[in-house]
Amino acid sequence: MTTTLTPLSLGTGDSVLATVGGREPALAHRRVITLLLDVYLDSIHPKFPLFCERELWVGWREGSFPQDDSDFMSLMCLCALSAQHVGDGALFNDNVDAPERTNLREAYIAEATRLVPIDFDKSDLNLVRSFTFLALLGAQTGNNATLHKYLGLCHGISAHLSLQDESRWPAMLSPCEVEVRRRLWWSIYRLEVHTACVLGNIVRTSETRCAVGYPAGAHHPAFIPGRNGQFEDWFDGWNMTTDLYRVLEHAVSDLRAKHSPAHSILGRMGGSDPTALMTRLSEIQERLLPQFVTPASRSEDSGRNRCGFQAPSIICTIHLARLLSRMSSNGDPLLACQVATDLIASIMAIPLEYIRAAGSPLIQQLAGVGHILVGTAKKHQLLQEHYAQVKQVIHSITSLLDLLATPNTIASSTRDRLVNLVSELEDVYATTTANAKVNTVDEGHILHWLQDVEEPTLGQAAFPNELLTDFTWLYPAYP
């Protein structure tokens, strides 16, 4: 939803204290929680719709949510992630004043992690939801340990509840309950594929091994002020993005297989057909509706805004899958540069508020594109005019990150690192001779293209292509 937020200090001492120490004290300060709920609905829900919006929005305002301790646990996890978005400035609506946001953020994170168990004794959808919120918190802050911990718990509880197979769900579920389960399953899957791209872990829940339908989206009549019902199909764009993540999963796997062929007990395993991947991407791109390509600027119609939120995810995922597929098939640096150029041109046409609210995951994907280009340029020793084209694309990426760098520290550190890599590349091109040694790069891992080492590192013998190296410089440990 789109809400005009009155500037409010989220860091007053009593508000922070109210968020810890139990359910009743926290709920007594409804103003802060209401604001964080609205932050979630404005800036996070369009990408990770972990709730039925009607149950959350109406239930909170009528007093029926949270109904029990399980609801309260998921609410605190929501508040922790929303407070982090406020602290990072990763907001769709920028009319939020939070001068002491750090204290509030830490209080909600502490309360969320205190409440969420790591066992499955009380397994319900709120536990799945809470694990997912905390995994997203790890992704947003760049805390890879938190991300891996809670994403692993997501997989465990999903298996325990058989979320991967609708035929094993309870028979008497309401349409709303089916809808929420589908949203949770595909949200976890998309986060898993994203993490496999940027951190190099395997995809533990392949799209070929699940039997879950897509969310319907509008399963209740329009009920929130600011909607006229014309753009309630925003979930069509969300589902299309899920299609793209399913293609991206295979592009990532194929690129890794190129550099480290997989061997099974049944023999060497083949990858996907690159032509089939490219054809599927083109089919999806041709079906895009205008509101999922170049969205209008922020409006009072939250349904229209929800459609706009899908555009950055769709565009970035299409080009990322296309880029990885091309790299796995022929590794042509000029084709890679052209795909990256198309991506940046498309992203720059999207209003900034959508890019800003997308948060760290989109920043990570843009950074990965830059690393691919730098690594390709170093590996192939491009002609001067082609090298200049690579520099121009990376300059466009860093210019975009400049707009997001305050107060988002990940955007700032990402920009600085890309600038440094371009400087290193300039030195290489300025001093290259017949005897120059240029470090090669493994295109199979999207965020560790440059290792800056000349001697074998620990573990290289076991993993000669460094596919499993955990590259964490972009994402400093929280806080």
Side-chain angles (χ1 to χ4, degrees), residues 233-238 240 287-295 306-312 314-315 350:
D233 62 346
W234 66 273
F235 250 97
D236 291 347
W238 195 89
M240 192 168 291
R287 290 191 286 112
L288 289 177
L289 297 175
Q291 62 265 34
F292 301 138
V293 178
T294 306
R306 294 288 173 79
C307 290
F309 261 102
Q310 310 317 308
I314 288 173
I315 290 170
I350 296 173

Side-chain angles (χ1 to χ4, degrees), residues 210-221:
C210 69
V212 179
Y214 279 180
H219 59 297
H220 294 299

Side-chain angles (χ1 to χ4, degrees), residues 450-472:
L450 297 182
Q451 295 298 317
D452 296 323
V453 293
E454 296 186 0
E455 299 299 328
T457 57
L458 182 63
Q460 251 185 327
F463 304 104
N465 289 293
E466 299 173 332
L467 292 182
L468 302 182
T469 302
D470 187 9
F471 192 77
T472 58

Side-chain angles (χ1 to χ4, degrees), residues 51-55 175-177 179-180 183 216-221:
F51 279 96
C52 166
E53 187 174 1
R54 182 184 183 91
E55 291 184 346
C176 185
E177 290 171 322
E179 172 76 7
V180 170
R183 294 181 182 191
H219 59 297
H220 294 299

Side-chain angles (χ1 to χ4, degrees), residues 61-346:
R61 283 156 176 80
E62 292 182 348
S64 59
F65 176 85
Q67 189 173 31
D68 52 29
D69 289 343
S70 179
D71 281 348
F72 179 70
M73 172 184 66
S74 65
L75 174 62
M76 289 298 99
C77 292
L78 179 156
C79 288
L81 182 59
S82 292
Q84 183 63 46
H85 270 251
V86 172
D88 289 341
L91 300 169
F92 183 61
N93 189 329
D94 54 7
N95 190 25
V96 179
D97 181 26
E100 300 177 35
R101 54 186 172 264
T102 300
N103 289 337
L104 176 77
R105 177 188 62 194
E106 292 176 350
Y108 274 114
I109 291 173
E111 182 72 349
T113 53
R114 182 184 72 83
L115 291 172
V116 176
I118 59 173
D119 57 54
F120 303 156
D121 290 344
K122 296 181 179 179
S123 301
D124 60 12
L125 293 189
N126 274 325
L127 189 56
V128 182
R129 189 179 286 121
S130 297
F131 288 156
T132 308
F133 272 129
L134 293 178
L136 289 169
L137 181 66
Q140 179 61 30
T141 59
N143 187 331
N144 297 335
T146 294
L147 170 57
H148 285 308
K149 173 182 177 179
Y150 287 105
L151 187 55
L153 288 169
C154 283
H155 292 308
I157 191 64
S158 295
H160 185 60
L161 296 176
S162 299
L163 284 186
Q164 78 285 352
D165 187 352
E166 285 194 19
S167 69
R168 301 175 65 182
W169 295 356
M172 302 304 292
L173 292 177
S174 69
C176 185
E177 290 171 322
V178 171
E179 172 76 7
V180 170
R181 283 170 178 257
R182 288 174 172 176
R183 294 181 182 191
L184 286 169
W185 170 258
W186 288 114
S187 292
I188 293 169
Y189 170 80
R190 285 165 54 159
L191 182 58
E192 170 80 356
V193 174
H194 167 78
T195 305
C197 283
V198 301
L199 296 182
N201 53 275
I202 61 172
V203 177
R204 290 164 285 190
T205 53
S206 175
E207 57 98 21
T208 62
R209 298 292 185 264
C210 69
V212 179
Y214 279 180
H219 59 297
H220 294 299
F223 59 93
I224 294 181
R227 285 190 179 174
N228 59 23
Q230 292 183 356
F231 292 93
E232 293 305 309
D233 62 346
W234 66 273
F235 250 97
D236 291 347
W238 195 89
N239 290 334
M240 192 168 291
T241 304
T242 302
D243 276 348
L244 292 168
Y245 270 91
R246 294 170 69 179
V247 177
L248 180 60
E249 174 200 328
H250 295 283
V252 172
S253 298
D254 291 348
L255 186 55
R256 290 184 184 158
K258 172 187 175 183
H259 294 274
S260 181
H263 292 271
S264 165
I265 195 171
L266 302 178
R268 181 165 176 169
M269 307 300 290
S272 304
D273 179 4
T275 302
L277 289 177
M278 298 298 288
T279 299
R280 184 60 173 156
L281 288 172
S282 296
E283 290 173 352
I284 295 173
Q285 194 164 7
E286 289 172 1
R287 290 191 286 112
L288 289 177
L289 297 175
Q291 62 265 34
F292 301 138
V293 178
T294 306
S297 297
R298 181 172 55 217
S299 74
E300 293 302 315
D301 186 334
S302 60
R304 182 192 293 269
N305 294 337
R306 294 288 173 79
C307 290
F309 261 102
Q310 310 317 308
S313 295
I314 288 173
I315 290 170
C316 200
T317 310
I318 282 178
H319 287 89
L320 184 57
R322 198 181 299 278
L323 180 60
L324 294 180
S325 182
R326 290 197 182 280
M327 295 302 294
S328 66
S329 59
N330 55 38
D332 187 333
L334 299 185
L335 285 176
C337 198
Q338 183 57 55
V339 172
T341 300
D342 294 342
L343 166 63
I344 298 304
S346 299

Side-chain angles (χ1 to χ4, degrees), residues 25-42:
L27 294 180
H29 289 259
R30 293 184 59 85
R31 185 179 66 161
V32 173
I33 295 179
T34 299
L35 186 142
L36 292 174
L37 281 170
D38 288 343
V39 166
Y40 165 75
L41 291 173
D42 274 339

